[in-house]
Amino acid sequence: MTRWIRRFSVPQQWAHWLYALFFSVLAVTGVVIAFSVPGFAVGEAGAATRVLHRFAAIGLIVSAVYYAVFGHKSAGRDMRFIFTWSRDDLKWLWSAATRFYWIGERGDLPEEGRYNAGQKLNYLAQLVGFAVLAVTGIVMWLGAGSGSADWFKVSVILHDLATFLVIGLFAVHFYLTTMHPLTKEAITGMVTGYVTEEYAREHHPAWLREVEADEARKTA
């Protein structure tokens, strides 16, 4: 009989999918604006694209605030986790990039905790990217035609660089969690909130031991 283990809380699930929705809208509209896609970047269509981009930006901020308020316990735990790095994390990144994801050999791959080093890196990059995009986006939105032209130009450059970073990592994250044969079961955790014990033991054994130890304390 398959045993299912709670991996993500309901606030985490909602925040994730809201963030993914608004992020996708921002990415598409941002690319349209940046590359002046014919038919969508000028005239009335261009104005509508910019309004949609700004609406999605507000939605992205709201999703982050929602998580901070309603998922503060898991948010605080995750923040501590993603900012804590060790040599094993760096070793995991190297081993996963050169062997595990390509040929499926774990080899000397260190045991993963609640998040592996790749997930921590994506989480951290998205957090930093979000902050840069939010600040520069506000400058570009409210500062157009006023204030320092140099600050506006710097904001545009930083906004574009942060966009390429977060979209690139989002694409890798999407592939690994939905299509890669070794890790595509990960999406189940965010859809249902649960993963199988087998998946947890294979991909997050250190975290599974923590869960089992906590369950043992509660039943003692």
Side-chain angles (χ1 to χ4, degrees), residues 181-203:
L182 297 176
T183 56
K184 62 183 180 180
E185 188 184 336
I187 193 65
T188 302
M190 195 52 77
V191 172
T192 67
Y194 293 84
V195 294
T196 63
E197 181 181 4
E198 291 76 14
Y199 179 85
R201 194 175 303 283
E202 173 68 20
H203 296 282

Side-chain angles (χ1 to χ4, degrees), residues 7-8 12 77-78 81 113-116 119 204 207:
R7 179 153 173 76
F8 299 110
Q12 279 181 300
R77 177 202 60 210
D78 288 350
F81 197 85
R114 182 174 184 83
Y115 301 110
N116 62 46
Q119 292 168 326
H204 303 278
W207 169 68

Side-chain angles (χ1 to χ4, degrees), residues 23-44:
F23 180 91
S24 299
V25 175
L26 276 169
V28 173
T29 55
V31 168
V32 169
I33 295 169
F35 293 97
S36 299
V37 176
F40 295 95
V42 296
E44 292 184 359

Side-chain angles (χ1 to χ4, degrees), residues 10-202:
V10 172
Q12 279 181 300
Q13 292 174 264
W14 273 100
H16 177 275
W17 292 116
L18 286 172
Y19 190 93
L21 171 63
F22 291 119
F23 180 91
S24 299
V25 175
L26 276 169
V28 173
T29 55
V31 168
V32 169
I33 295 169
F35 293 97
S36 299
V37 176
F40 295 95
V42 296
E44 292 184 359
T49 299
R50 285 169 170 76
V51 170
L52 183 58
H53 189 76
R54 291 166 181 170
F55 173 79
I58 295 173
L60 198 70
I61 293 174
V62 169
S63 68
V65 172
Y66 165 82
Y67 184 40
V69 173
F70 294 99
H72 61 276
K73 291 184 179 180
S74 53
R77 177 202 60 210
D78 288 350
M79 289 301 102
R80 291 191 297 271
F81 197 85
I82 68 171
F83 279 103
T84 302
W85 286 72
S86 66
R87 289 185 178 181
D88 278 347
D89 288 313
L90 300 179
K91 184 178 181 181
W92 189 96
L93 285 174
W94 173 255
S95 298
T98 58
R99 298 180 62 183
F100 178 65
Y101 285 124
W102 293 99
I103 57 178
E105 291 185 2
R106 294 190 65 88
D108 57 352
L109 195 69
E111 288 192 341
E112 303 94 326
R114 182 174 184 83
Y115 301 110
N116 62 46
Q119 292 168 326
K120 289 168 68 173
L121 180 62
N122 179 61
Y123 203 147
L124 184 58
Q126 293 291 343
L127 182 65
V128 173
F130 170 83
V132 173
L133 289 170
V135 173
T136 57
I138 291 173
V139 171
M140 293 162 61
W141 185 354
L142 303 179
S146 64
S148 171
D150 291 336
W151 276 109
F152 185 84
K153 291 177 182 177
V154 170
S155 294
V156 171
I157 293 172
L158 291 177
H159 199 82
D160 290 345
L161 291 176
T163 297
F164 287 126
L165 171 66
V166 296
I167 288 180
L169 288 174
F170 178 82
V172 173
H173 174 69
F174 180 83
Y175 167 70
L176 291 177
T177 56
T178 61
M179 291 181 278
H180 193 286
L182 297 176
T183 56
K184 62 183 180 180
E185 188 184 336
I187 193 65
T188 302
M190 195 52 77
V191 172
T192 67
Y194 293 84
V195 294
T196 63
E197 181 181 4
E198 291 76 14
Y199 179 85
R201 194 175 303 283
E202 173 68 20

